[in-house]
PDB file of all heavy atoms in Angstrom:
ATOM      1  N   GLU O 105      35.011 -98.236 -11.988  1.00  0.00           N
ATOM      2  CA  GLU O 105      34.168 -97.574 -12.972  1.00  0.00           C
ATOM      3  C   GLU O 105      34.481 -98.076 -14.346  1.00  0.00           C
ATOM      4  O   GLU O 105      33.625 -98.419 -15.132  1.00  0.00           O
ATOM      5  CB  GLU O 105      34.420 -96.074 -12.931  1.00  0.00           C
ATOM      6  CG  GLU O 105      33.688 -95.387 -11.817  1.00  0.00           C
ATOM      7  CD  GLU O 105      33.904 -93.893 -11.919  1.00  0.00           C
ATOM      8  OE1 GLU O 105      34.101 -93.395 -13.037  1.00  0.00           O
ATOM      9  OE2 GLU O 105      33.874 -93.264 -10.867  1.00  0.00           O
ATOM     10  N   LEU O 108      33.271-101.540 -14.932  1.00  0.00           N
ATOM     11  CA  LEU O 108      31.861-101.702 -15.189  1.00  0.00           C
ATOM     12  C   LEU O 108      31.445-101.028 -16.463  1.00  0.00           C
ATOM     13  O   LEU O 108      30.539-101.466 -17.138  1.00  0.00           O
ATOM     14  CB  LEU O 108      31.058-101.172 -14.005  1.00  0.00           C
ATOM     15  CG  LEU O 108      31.094-102.211 -12.894  1.00  0.00           C
ATOM     16  CD1 LEU O 108      30.491-101.673 -11.640  1.00  0.00           C
ATOM     17  CD2 LEU O 108      30.325-103.426 -13.334  1.00  0.00           C
ATOM     18  N   ILE O 116      29.565-108.316 -24.308  1.00  0.00           N
ATOM     19  CA  ILE O 116      29.186-108.561 -25.687  1.00  0.00           C
ATOM     20  C   ILE O 116      30.316-109.234 -26.441  1.00  0.00           C
ATOM     21  O   ILE O 116      30.091-110.126 -27.248  1.00  0.00           O
ATOM     22  CB  ILE O 116      28.812-107.240 -26.375  1.00  0.00           C
ATOM     23  CG1 ILE O 116      27.662-106.623 -25.626  1.00  0.00           C
ATOM     24  CG2 ILE O 116      28.443-107.482 -27.797  1.00  0.00           C
ATOM     25  CD1 ILE O 116      26.480-107.513 -25.569  1.00  0.00           C
ATOM     26  N   HIS O 361      40.769 -95.152 -21.381  1.00  0.00           N
ATOM     27  CA  HIS O 361      39.356 -95.425 -21.195  1.00  0.00           C
ATOM     28  C   HIS O 361      38.529 -94.491 -22.042  1.00  0.00           C
ATOM     29  O   HIS O 361      37.597 -94.870 -22.711  1.00  0.00           O
ATOM     30  CB  HIS O 361      39.021 -95.260 -19.725  1.00  0.00           C
ATOM     31  CG  HIS O 361      37.564 -95.391 -19.483  1.00  0.00           C
ATOM     32  ND1 HIS O 361      36.855 -96.480 -19.863  1.00  0.00           N
ATOM     33  CD2 HIS O 361      36.689 -94.551 -18.934  1.00  0.00           C
ATOM     34  CE1 HIS O 361      35.614 -96.310 -19.534  1.00  0.00           C
ATOM     35  NE2 HIS O 361      35.470 -95.154 -18.969  1.00  0.00           N
ATOM     36  N   ARG O 369      37.474 -87.046 -24.472  1.00  0.00           N
ATOM     37  CA  ARG O 369      37.394 -86.079 -23.388  1.00  0.00           C
ATOM     38  C   ARG O 369      38.764 -85.653 -22.961  1.00  0.00           C
ATOM     39  O   ARG O 369      39.033 -84.498 -22.706  1.00  0.00           O
ATOM     40  CB  ARG O 369      36.661 -86.690 -22.202  1.00  0.00           C
ATOM     41  CG  ARG O 369      35.252 -86.247 -22.166  1.00  0.00           C
ATOM     42  CD  ARG O 369      34.513 -86.972 -21.131  1.00  0.00           C
ATOM     43  NE  ARG O 369      34.110 -88.267 -21.631  1.00  0.00           N
ATOM     44  CZ  ARG O 369      33.344 -89.094 -20.931  1.00  0.00           C
ATOM     45  NH1 ARG O 369      32.976 -88.782 -19.755  1.00  0.00           N
ATOM     46  NH2 ARG O 369      32.990 -90.240 -21.419  1.00  0.00           N
ATOM     47  N   TRP O 415      13.218-126.659 -30.517  1.00  0.00           N
ATOM     48  CA  TRP O 415      13.796-125.328 -30.496  1.00  0.00           C
ATOM     49  C   TRP O 415      13.494-124.561 -29.235  1.00  0.00           C
ATOM     50  O   TRP O 415      14.298-123.745 -28.792  1.00  0.00           O
ATOM     51  CB  TRP O 415      13.309-124.543 -31.706  1.00  0.00           C
ATOM     52  CG  TRP O 415      13.826-125.116 -32.958  1.00  0.00           C
ATOM     53  CD1 TRP O 415      13.198-126.006 -33.761  1.00  0.00           C
ATOM     54  CD2 TRP O 415      15.098-124.876 -33.542  1.00  0.00           C
ATOM     55  NE1 TRP O 415      14.009-126.330 -34.805  1.00  0.00           N
ATOM     56  CE2 TRP O 415      15.170-125.645 -34.705  1.00  0.00           C
ATOM     57  CE3 TRP O 415      16.185-124.073 -33.186  1.00  0.00           C
ATOM     58  CZ2 TRP O 415      16.290-125.636 -35.525  1.00  0.00           C
ATOM     59  CZ3 TRP O 415      17.287-124.061 -34.005  1.00  0.00           C
ATOM     60  CH2 TRP O 415      17.325-124.842 -35.156  1.00  0.00           C
ATOM     61  N   ASN O 416      12.370-124.811 -28.638  1.00  0.00           N
ATOM     62  CA  ASN O 416      12.081-124.076 -27.405  1.00  0.00           C
ATOM     63  C   ASN O 416      13.111-124.357 -26.344  1.00  0.00           C
ATOM     64  O   ASN O 416      13.617-123.456 -25.682  1.00  0.00           O
ATOM     65  CB  ASN O 416      10.699-124.483 -26.876  1.00  0.00           C
ATOM     66  CG  ASN O 416       9.615-123.731 -27.576  1.00  0.00           C
ATOM     67  OD1 ASN O 416       9.884-122.753 -28.251  1.00  0.00           O
ATOM     68  ND2 ASN O 416       8.384-124.162 -27.420  1.00  0.00           N
ATOM     69  N   LEU O 419      16.448-122.830 -27.265  1.00  0.00           N
ATOM     70  CA  LEU O 419      16.448-121.390 -27.044  1.00  0.00           C
ATOM     71  C   LEU O 419      16.517-121.069 -25.561  1.00  0.00           C
ATOM     72  O   LEU O 419      17.257-120.173 -25.129  1.00  0.00           O
ATOM     73  CB  LEU O 419      15.159-120.815 -27.632  1.00  0.00           C
ATOM     74  CG  LEU O 419      15.191-119.363 -28.051  1.00  0.00           C
ATOM     75  CD1 LEU O 419      16.293-119.133 -29.020  1.00  0.00           C
ATOM     76  CD2 LEU O 419      13.856-119.010 -28.671  1.00  0.00           C
ATOM     77  N   PHE O 456      17.145-124.941 -16.712  1.00  0.00           N
ATOM     78  CA  PHE O 456      16.211-124.582 -17.769  1.00  0.00           C
ATOM     79  C   PHE O 456      15.965-125.718 -18.723  1.00  0.00           C
ATOM     80  O   PHE O 456      14.846-125.895 -19.209  1.00  0.00           O
ATOM     81  CB  PHE O 456      16.731-123.356 -18.518  1.00  0.00           C
ATOM     82  CG  PHE O 456      16.242-122.095 -17.919  1.00  0.00           C
ATOM     83  CD1 PHE O 456      16.867-121.553 -16.827  1.00  0.00           C
ATOM     84  CD2 PHE O 456      15.115-121.481 -18.418  1.00  0.00           C
ATOM     85  CE1 PHE O 456      16.397-120.408 -16.250  1.00  0.00           C
ATOM     86  CE2 PHE O 456      14.640-120.333 -17.849  1.00  0.00           C
ATOM     87  CZ  PHE O 456      15.283-119.792 -16.757  1.00  0.00           C
ATOM     88  N   SER O 459      13.615-128.236 -16.913  1.00  0.00           N
ATOM     89  CA  SER O 459      12.274-127.716 -16.672  1.00  0.00           C
ATOM     90  C   SER O 459      11.550-127.411 -17.968  1.00  0.00           C
ATOM     91  O   SER O 459      10.361-127.669 -18.092  1.00  0.00           O
ATOM     92  CB  SER O 459      12.351-126.483 -15.784  1.00  0.00           C
ATOM     93  OG  SER O 459      13.298-125.603 -16.300  1.00  0.00           O
ATOM     94  N   LEU O 463       8.252-129.346 -18.352  1.00  0.00           N
ATOM     95  CA  LEU O 463       7.117-128.556 -17.910  1.00  0.00           C
ATOM     96  C   LEU O 463       6.573-127.649 -19.000  1.00  0.00           C
ATOM     97  O   LEU O 463       5.380-127.587 -19.233  1.00  0.00           O
ATOM     98  CB  LEU O 463       7.521-127.690 -16.716  1.00  0.00           C
ATOM     99  CG  LEU O 463       7.912-128.462 -15.461  1.00  0.00           C
ATOM    100  CD1 LEU O 463       8.395-127.482 -14.422  1.00  0.00           C
ATOM    101  CD2 LEU O 463       6.719-129.225 -14.956  1.00  0.00           C
ATOM    102  N   VAL O 464       7.484-126.935 -19.628  1.00  0.00           N
ATOM    103  CA  VAL O 464       7.001-125.918 -20.546  1.00  0.00           C
ATOM    104  C   VAL O 464       6.488-126.541 -21.830  1.00  0.00           C
ATOM    105  O   VAL O 464       5.537-126.072 -22.432  1.00  0.00           O
ATOM    106  CB  VAL O 464       8.127-124.919 -20.835  1.00  0.00           C
ATOM    107  CG1 VAL O 464       7.682-123.894 -21.832  1.00  0.00           C
ATOM    108  CG2 VAL O 464       8.556-124.254 -19.559  1.00  0.00           C
ATOM    109  N   PHE O 467       2.867-127.525 -22.023  1.00  0.00           N
ATOM    110  CA  PHE O 467       2.069-126.317 -21.975  1.00  0.00           C
ATOM    111  C   PHE O 467       2.045-125.624 -23.331  1.00  0.00           C
ATOM    112  O   PHE O 467       0.986-125.298 -23.877  1.00  0.00           O
ATOM    113  CB  PHE O 467       2.652-125.400 -20.900  1.00  0.00           C
ATOM    114  CG  PHE O 467       1.809-124.216 -20.571  1.00  0.00           C
ATOM    115  CD1 PHE O 467       0.444-124.344 -20.416  1.00  0.00           C
ATOM    116  CD2 PHE O 467       2.382-122.976 -20.403  1.00  0.00           C
ATOM    117  CE1 PHE O 467      -0.326-123.259 -20.100  1.00  0.00           C
ATOM    118  CE2 PHE O 467       1.616-121.885 -20.074  1.00  0.00           C
ATOM    119  CZ  PHE O 467       0.262-122.016 -19.927  1.00  0.00           C
ATOM    120  N   LEU O 471      -1.000-125.067 -25.971  1.00  0.00           N
ATOM    121  CA  LEU O 471      -1.373-123.717 -26.396  1.00  0.00           C
ATOM    122  C   LEU O 471      -1.334-123.584 -27.902  1.00  0.00           C
ATOM    123  O   LEU O 471      -2.214-123.012 -28.524  1.00  0.00           O
ATOM    124  CB  LEU O 471      -0.409-122.692 -25.792  1.00  0.00           C
ATOM    125  CG  LEU O 471      -0.617-122.316 -24.331  1.00  0.00           C
ATOM    126  CD1 LEU O 471       0.353-121.228 -23.972  1.00  0.00           C
ATOM    127  CD2 LEU O 471      -2.032-121.858 -24.121  1.00  0.00           C
ATOM    128  N   ALA O 472      -0.280-124.150 -28.490  1.00  0.00           N
ATOM    129  CA  ALA O 472      -0.122-123.982 -29.928  1.00  0.00           C
ATOM    130  C   ALA O 472      -1.193-124.745 -30.687  1.00  0.00           C
ATOM    131  O   ALA O 472      -1.648-124.305 -31.745  1.00  0.00           O
ATOM    132  CB  ALA O 472       1.269-124.452 -30.359  1.00  0.00           C
ATOM    133  N   GLN O 475      -4.028-122.692 -30.634  1.00  0.00           N
ATOM    134  CA  GLN O 475      -3.640-121.374 -31.099  1.00  0.00           C
ATOM    135  C   GLN O 475      -3.989-120.279 -30.104  1.00  0.00           C
ATOM    136  O   GLN O 475      -4.544-119.246 -30.446  1.00  0.00           O
ATOM    137  CB  GLN O 475      -4.292-121.064 -32.445  1.00  0.00           C
ATOM    138  CG  GLN O 475      -3.272-120.498 -33.384  1.00  0.00           C
ATOM    139  CD  GLN O 475      -3.855-120.138 -34.709  1.00  0.00           C
ATOM    140  OE1 GLN O 475      -5.044-120.295 -34.941  1.00  0.00           O
ATOM    141  NE2 GLN O 475      -3.014-119.643 -35.577  1.00  0.00           N
ATOM    142  N   LEU O 476      -3.648-120.570 -28.885  1.00  0.00           N
ATOM    143  CA  LEU O 476      -3.840-119.552 -27.874  1.00  0.00           C
ATOM    144  C   LEU O 476      -2.534-118.817 -27.663  1.00  0.00           C
ATOM    145  O   LEU O 476      -1.463-119.367 -27.864  1.00  0.00           O
ATOM    146  CB  LEU O 476      -4.238-120.205 -26.547  1.00  0.00           C
ATOM    147  CG  LEU O 476      -5.544-120.972 -26.580  1.00  0.00           C
ATOM    148  CD1 LEU O 476      -5.736-121.665 -25.252  1.00  0.00           C
ATOM    149  CD2 LEU O 476      -6.685-120.036 -26.855  1.00  0.00           C
ATOM    150  N   TYR O 477      -2.664-117.604 -27.242  1.00  0.00           N
ATOM    151  CA  TYR O 477      -1.442-116.860 -27.027  1.00  0.00           C
ATOM    152  C   TYR O 477      -1.405-116.313 -25.624  1.00  0.00           C
ATOM    153  O   TYR O 477      -2.387-115.825 -25.113  1.00  0.00           O
ATOM    154  CB  TYR O 477      -1.336-115.710 -28.025  1.00  0.00           C
ATOM    155  CG  TYR O 477      -0.948-116.206 -29.375  1.00  0.00           C
ATOM    156  CD1 TYR O 477      -1.913-116.599 -30.284  1.00  0.00           C
ATOM    157  CD2 TYR O 477       0.377-116.333 -29.725  1.00  0.00           C
ATOM    158  CE1 TYR O 477      -1.555-117.088 -31.510  1.00  0.00           C
ATOM    159  CE2 TYR O 477       0.741-116.817 -30.951  1.00  0.00           C
ATOM    160  CZ  TYR O 477      -0.231-117.203 -31.835  1.00  0.00           C
ATOM    161  OH  TYR O 477       0.129-117.689 -33.042  1.00  0.00           O
ATOM    162  N   ILE O 478      -0.262-116.409 -25.038  1.00  0.00           N
ATOM    163  CA  ILE O 478      -0.157-115.858 -23.686  1.00  0.00           C
ATOM    164  C   ILE O 478       0.675-114.597 -23.717  1.00  0.00           C
ATOM    165  O   ILE O 478       1.469-114.382 -24.585  1.00  0.00           O
ATOM    166  CB  ILE O 478       0.493-116.861 -22.725  1.00  0.00           C
ATOM    167  CG1 ILE O 478       1.865-117.284 -23.270  1.00  0.00           C
ATOM    168  CG2 ILE O 478      -0.388-118.068 -22.567  1.00  0.00           C
ATOM    169  CD1 ILE O 478       2.674-117.963 -22.243  1.00  0.00           C
TER     170      ILE O 478
ATOM    171  N   PRO J  35      25.998-102.310 -26.427  1.00  0.00           N
ATOM    172  CA  PRO J  35      26.080-103.590 -25.712  1.00  0.00           C
ATOM    173  C   PRO J  35      25.202-103.634 -24.476  1.00  0.00           C
ATOM    174  O   PRO J  35      24.661-104.674 -24.131  1.00  0.00           O
ATOM    175  CB  PRO J  35      27.551-103.690 -25.335  1.00  0.00           C
ATOM    176  CG  PRO J  35      28.113-102.344 -25.516  1.00  0.00           C
ATOM    177  CD  PRO J  35      27.313-101.668 -26.538  1.00  0.00           C
ATOM    178  N   PHE J  46      15.104-113.461 -20.430  1.00  0.00           N
ATOM    179  CA  PHE J  46      15.262-114.409 -19.343  1.00  0.00           C
ATOM    180  C   PHE J  46      14.110-114.312 -18.353  1.00  0.00           C
ATOM    181  O   PHE J  46      13.566-115.323 -17.906  1.00  0.00           O
ATOM    182  CB  PHE J  46      16.590-114.136 -18.653  1.00  0.00           C
ATOM    183  CG  PHE J  46      16.885-115.034 -17.510  1.00  0.00           C
ATOM    184  CD1 PHE J  46      17.147-116.370 -17.712  1.00  0.00           C
ATOM    185  CD2 PHE J  46      16.902-114.550 -16.219  1.00  0.00           C
ATOM    186  CE1 PHE J  46      17.429-117.206 -16.658  1.00  0.00           C
ATOM    187  CE2 PHE J  46      17.183-115.374 -15.164  1.00  0.00           C
ATOM    188  CZ  PHE J  46      17.447-116.702 -15.367  1.00  0.00           C
ATOM    189  N   LEU J  49      11.110-115.862 -19.680  1.00  0.00           N
ATOM    190  CA  LEU J  49      11.260-117.304 -19.659  1.00  0.00           C
ATOM    191  C   LEU J  49      10.951-117.862 -18.282  1.00  0.00           C
ATOM    192  O   LEU J  49      10.257-118.879 -18.137  1.00  0.00           O
ATOM    193  CB  LEU J  49      12.704-117.643 -20.029  1.00  0.00           C
ATOM    194  CG  LEU J  49      12.970-119.009 -20.613  1.00  0.00           C
ATOM    195  CD1 LEU J  49      12.174-119.175 -21.854  1.00  0.00           C
ATOM    196  CD2 LEU J  49      14.441-119.118 -20.920  1.00  0.00           C
ATOM    197  N   LEU J  53       8.123-120.439 -17.203  1.00  0.00           N
ATOM    198  CA  LEU J  53       8.438-121.657 -16.478  1.00  0.00           C
ATOM    199  C   LEU J  53       7.506-121.853 -15.300  1.00  0.00           C
ATOM    200  O   LEU J  53       6.915-122.923 -15.109  1.00  0.00           O
ATOM    201  CB  LEU J  53       9.875-121.538 -15.980  1.00  0.00           C
ATOM    202  CG  LEU J  53      10.562-122.846 -15.698  1.00  0.00           C
ATOM    203  CD1 LEU J  53      10.800-123.529 -16.991  1.00  0.00           C
ATOM    204  CD2 LEU J  53      11.871-122.583 -15.008  1.00  0.00           C
ATOM    205  N   SER J  56       3.926-122.558 -16.374  1.00  0.00           N
ATOM    206  CA  SER J  56       3.699-123.904 -16.883  1.00  0.00           C
ATOM    207  C   SER J  56       3.830-124.926 -15.777  1.00  0.00           C
ATOM    208  O   SER J  56       3.193-125.974 -15.812  1.00  0.00           O
ATOM    209  CB  SER J  56       4.661-124.229 -18.024  1.00  0.00           C
ATOM    210  OG  SER J  56       5.971-124.005 -17.629  1.00  0.00           O
ATOM    211  N   PHE J  60       1.002-127.520 -15.144  1.00  0.00           N
ATOM    212  CA  PHE J  60       1.345-128.926 -15.165  1.00  0.00           C
ATOM    213  C   PHE J  60       0.817-129.627 -13.928  1.00  0.00           C
ATOM    214  O   PHE J  60       0.227-130.698 -13.993  1.00  0.00           O
ATOM    215  CB  PHE J  60       2.862-129.043 -15.239  1.00  0.00           C
ATOM    216  CG  PHE J  60       3.350-130.401 -15.571  1.00  0.00           C
ATOM    217  CD1 PHE J  60       3.184-130.920 -16.840  1.00  0.00           C
ATOM    218  CD2 PHE J  60       3.987-131.166 -14.621  1.00  0.00           C
ATOM    219  CE1 PHE J  60       3.643-132.183 -17.161  1.00  0.00           C
ATOM    220  CE2 PHE J  60       4.452-132.426 -14.938  1.00  0.00           C
ATOM    221  CZ  PHE J  60       4.284-132.936 -16.208  1.00  0.00           C
ATOM    222  N   SER J  85      -0.724-117.254 -16.474  1.00  0.00           N
ATOM    223  CA  SER J  85       0.548-116.948 -17.089  1.00  0.00           C
ATOM    224  C   SER J  85       0.658-115.466 -17.425  1.00  0.00           C
ATOM    225  O   SER J  85       1.720-114.854 -17.251  1.00  0.00           O
ATOM    226  CB  SER J  85       0.706-117.804 -18.350  1.00  0.00           C
ATOM    227  OG  SER J  85       1.744-117.311 -19.113  1.00  0.00           O
ATOM    228  N   LEU J 110      28.365 -94.926 -11.269  1.00  0.00           N
ATOM    229  CA  LEU J 110      29.647 -95.305 -11.824  1.00  0.00           C
ATOM    230  C   LEU J 110      30.047 -94.507 -13.034  1.00  0.00           C
ATOM    231  O   LEU J 110      31.187 -94.574 -13.466  1.00  0.00           O
ATOM    232  CB  LEU J 110      29.605 -96.779 -12.227  1.00  0.00           C
ATOM    233  CG  LEU J 110      29.582 -97.739 -11.063  1.00  0.00           C
ATOM    234  CD1 LEU J 110      29.418 -99.122 -11.608  1.00  0.00           C
ATOM    235  CD2 LEU J 110      30.874 -97.660 -10.316  1.00  0.00           C
ATOM    236  N   GLU J 112      31.022 -91.482 -15.514  1.00  0.00           N
ATOM    237  CA  GLU J 112      31.979 -90.415 -15.276  1.00  0.00           C
ATOM    238  C   GLU J 112      31.318 -89.068 -15.131  1.00  0.00           C
ATOM    239  O   GLU J 112      31.750 -88.234 -14.361  1.00  0.00           O
ATOM    240  CB  GLU J 112      32.971 -90.366 -16.435  1.00  0.00           C
ATOM    241  CG  GLU J 112      33.925 -91.518 -16.366  1.00  0.00           C
ATOM    242  CD  GLU J 112      34.947 -91.421 -17.460  1.00  0.00           C
ATOM    243  OE1 GLU J 112      34.815 -90.516 -18.297  1.00  0.00           O
ATOM    244  OE2 GLU J 112      35.860 -92.238 -17.464  1.00  0.00           O
ATOM    245  N   ALA J 137       9.309-115.881 -30.055  1.00  0.00           N
ATOM    246  CA  ALA J 137      10.126-117.021 -30.441  1.00  0.00           C
ATOM    247  C   ALA J 137       9.491-118.314 -29.964  1.00  0.00           C
ATOM    248  O   ALA J 137       9.391-119.287 -30.697  1.00  0.00           O
ATOM    249  CB  ALA J 137      11.532-116.873 -29.862  1.00  0.00           C
ATOM    250  N   ILE J 141       8.555-120.678 -33.075  1.00  0.00           N
ATOM    251  CA  ILE J 141       9.695-121.344 -33.677  1.00  0.00           C
ATOM    252  C   ILE J 141       9.438-122.808 -33.988  1.00  0.00           C
ATOM    253  O   ILE J 141       9.899-123.331 -35.001  1.00  0.00           O
ATOM    254  CB  ILE J 141      10.942-121.164 -32.793  1.00  0.00           C
ATOM    255  CG1 ILE J 141      12.174-121.310 -33.643  1.00  0.00           C
ATOM    256  CG2 ILE J 141      10.965-122.118 -31.663  1.00  0.00           C
ATOM    257  CD1 ILE J 141      13.231-120.368 -33.271  1.00  0.00           C
ATOM    258  N   TYR J 162      -3.641-121.246 -40.923  1.00  0.00           N
ATOM    259  CA  TYR J 162      -3.002-121.412 -39.623  1.00  0.00           C
ATOM    260  C   TYR J 162      -1.678-120.683 -39.526  1.00  0.00           C
ATOM    261  O   TYR J 162      -1.427-119.915 -38.601  1.00  0.00           O
ATOM    262  CB  TYR J 162      -2.805-122.912 -39.377  1.00  0.00           C
ATOM    263  CG  TYR J 162      -2.336-123.243 -37.999  1.00  0.00           C
ATOM    264  CD1 TYR J 162      -3.176-123.109 -36.910  1.00  0.00           C
ATOM    265  CD2 TYR J 162      -1.051-123.693 -37.783  1.00  0.00           C
ATOM    266  CE1 TYR J 162      -2.748-123.431 -35.645  1.00  0.00           C
ATOM    267  CE2 TYR J 162      -0.626-124.022 -36.526  1.00  0.00           C
ATOM    268  CZ  TYR J 162      -1.481-123.892 -35.460  1.00  0.00           C
ATOM    269  OH  TYR J 162      -1.048-124.208 -34.200  1.00  0.00           O
ATOM    270  N   THR J 165      -2.008-116.729 -39.926  1.00  0.00           N
ATOM    271  CA  THR J 165      -2.550-116.055 -38.753  1.00  0.00           C
ATOM    272  C   THR J 165      -1.618-116.180 -37.568  1.00  0.00           C
ATOM    273  O   THR J 165      -1.501-115.258 -36.772  1.00  0.00           O
ATOM    274  CB  THR J 165      -3.917-116.622 -38.391  1.00  0.00           C
ATOM    275  OG1 THR J 165      -3.814-118.045 -38.400  1.00  0.00           O
ATOM    276  CG2 THR J 165      -4.960-116.169 -39.349  1.00  0.00           C
ATOM    277  N   SER J 166      -0.961-117.319 -37.470  1.00  0.00           N
ATOM    278  CA  SER J 166      -0.002-117.442 -36.375  1.00  0.00           C
ATOM    279  C   SER J 166       1.082-116.404 -36.502  1.00  0.00           C
ATOM    280  O   SER J 166       1.476-115.775 -35.515  1.00  0.00           O
ATOM    281  CB  SER J 166       0.641-118.832 -36.380  1.00  0.00           C
ATOM    282  OG  SER J 166      -0.325-119.805 -36.196  1.00  0.00           O
ATOM    283  N   MET J 169      -0.335-113.009 -35.616  1.00  0.00           N
ATOM    284  CA  MET J 169      -0.619-112.916 -34.185  1.00  0.00           C
ATOM    285  C   MET J 169       0.662-112.766 -33.397  1.00  0.00           C
ATOM    286  O   MET J 169       0.737-111.976 -32.455  1.00  0.00           O
ATOM    287  CB  MET J 169      -1.360-114.192 -33.758  1.00  0.00           C
ATOM    288  CG  MET J 169      -1.985-114.094 -32.414  1.00  0.00           C
ATOM    289  SD  MET J 169      -3.373-112.987 -32.456  1.00  0.00           S
ATOM    290  CE  MET J 169      -3.675-112.796 -30.732  1.00  0.00           C
ATOM    291  N   SER J 207      -4.998-111.989 -24.749  1.00  0.00           N
ATOM    292  CA  SER J 207      -4.942-113.439 -24.595  1.00  0.00           C
ATOM    293  C   SER J 207      -6.330-114.040 -24.678  1.00  0.00           C
ATOM    294  O   SER J 207      -6.534-115.083 -25.290  1.00  0.00           O
ATOM    295  CB  SER J 207      -4.311-113.800 -23.246  1.00  0.00           C
ATOM    296  OG  SER J 207      -2.956-113.525 -23.271  1.00  0.00           O
ATOM    297  N   SER J 210      -7.532-114.426 -28.098  1.00  0.00           N
ATOM    298  CA  SER J 210      -6.984-115.537 -28.870  1.00  0.00           C
ATOM    299  C   SER J 210      -7.764-116.810 -28.628  1.00  0.00           C
ATOM    300  O   SER J 210      -7.577-117.786 -29.346  1.00  0.00           O
ATOM    301  CB  SER J 210      -5.506-115.741 -28.531  1.00  0.00           C
ATOM    302  OG  SER J 210      -5.375-116.177 -27.204  1.00  0.00           O
ATOM    303  N   PHE J 211      -8.619-116.793 -27.622  1.00  0.00           N
ATOM    304  CA  PHE J 211      -9.469-117.962 -27.446  1.00  0.00           C
ATOM    305  C   PHE J 211     -10.477-118.081 -28.564  1.00  0.00           C
ATOM    306  O   PHE J 211     -11.052-119.145 -28.767  1.00  0.00           O
ATOM    307  CB  PHE J 211     -10.214-117.887 -26.110  1.00  0.00           C
ATOM    308  CG  PHE J 211      -9.328-118.153 -24.934  1.00  0.00           C
ATOM    309  CD1 PHE J 211      -9.327-117.300 -23.865  1.00  0.00           C
ATOM    310  CD2 PHE J 211      -8.497-119.249 -24.906  1.00  0.00           C
ATOM    311  CE1 PHE J 211      -8.513-117.541 -22.771  1.00  0.00           C
ATOM    312  CE2 PHE J 211      -7.674-119.493 -23.833  1.00  0.00           C
ATOM    313  CZ  PHE J 211      -7.683-118.638 -22.762  1.00  0.00           C
ATOM    314  N   ASN J 213      -9.900-118.043 -31.499  1.00  0.00           N
ATOM    315  CA  ASN J 213      -9.384-118.791 -32.652  1.00  0.00           C
ATOM    316  C   ASN J 213     -10.091-120.125 -32.754  1.00  0.00           C
ATOM    317  O   ASN J 213     -10.368-120.734 -31.754  1.00  0.00           O
ATOM    318  CB  ASN J 213      -7.885-119.018 -32.480  1.00  0.00           C
ATOM    319  CG  ASN J 213      -7.125-117.761 -32.790  1.00  0.00           C
ATOM    320  OD1 ASN J 213      -7.614-116.918 -33.510  1.00  0.00           O
ATOM    321  ND2 ASN J 213      -5.959-117.627 -32.240  1.00  0.00           N
ATOM    322  N   TYR J 216     -10.823-116.180 -36.804  1.00  0.00           N
ATOM    323  CA  TYR J 216      -9.743-115.223 -36.762  1.00  0.00           C
ATOM    324  C   TYR J 216     -10.194-113.781 -36.710  1.00  0.00           C
ATOM    325  O   TYR J 216      -9.490-112.929 -36.223  1.00  0.00           O
ATOM    326  CB  TYR J 216      -8.804-115.428 -37.953  1.00  0.00           C
ATOM    327  CG  TYR J 216      -8.098-116.744 -37.852  1.00  0.00           C
ATOM    328  CD1 TYR J 216      -8.247-117.696 -38.841  1.00  0.00           C
ATOM    329  CD2 TYR J 216      -7.347-117.043 -36.739  1.00  0.00           C
ATOM    330  CE1 TYR J 216      -7.618-118.917 -38.728  1.00  0.00           C
ATOM    331  CE2 TYR J 216      -6.721-118.264 -36.618  1.00  0.00           C
ATOM    332  CZ  TYR J 216      -6.861-119.194 -37.618  1.00  0.00           C
ATOM    333  OH  TYR J 216      -6.239-120.399 -37.510  1.00  0.00           O
TER     334      TYR J 216
END
Side-chain angles (χ1 to χ4, degrees):
Chain O
E105 279 185 29
L108 282 172
I116 300 302
H361 174 56
R369 260 173 278 185
W415 294 95
N416 278 346
L419 205 56
F456 270 82
S459 50
L463 296 175
V464 177
F467 190 44
L471 282 184
Q475 226 182 1
L476 298 175
Y477 284 89
I478 56 165
Chain J
F46 180 69
L49 204 59
L53 203 70
S56 53
F60 193 71
S85 166
L110 289 175
E112 287 183 355
I141 204 141
Y162 188 71
T165 48
S166 299
M169 193 71 192
S207 288
S210 67
F211 286 130
N213 283 336
Y216 294 120

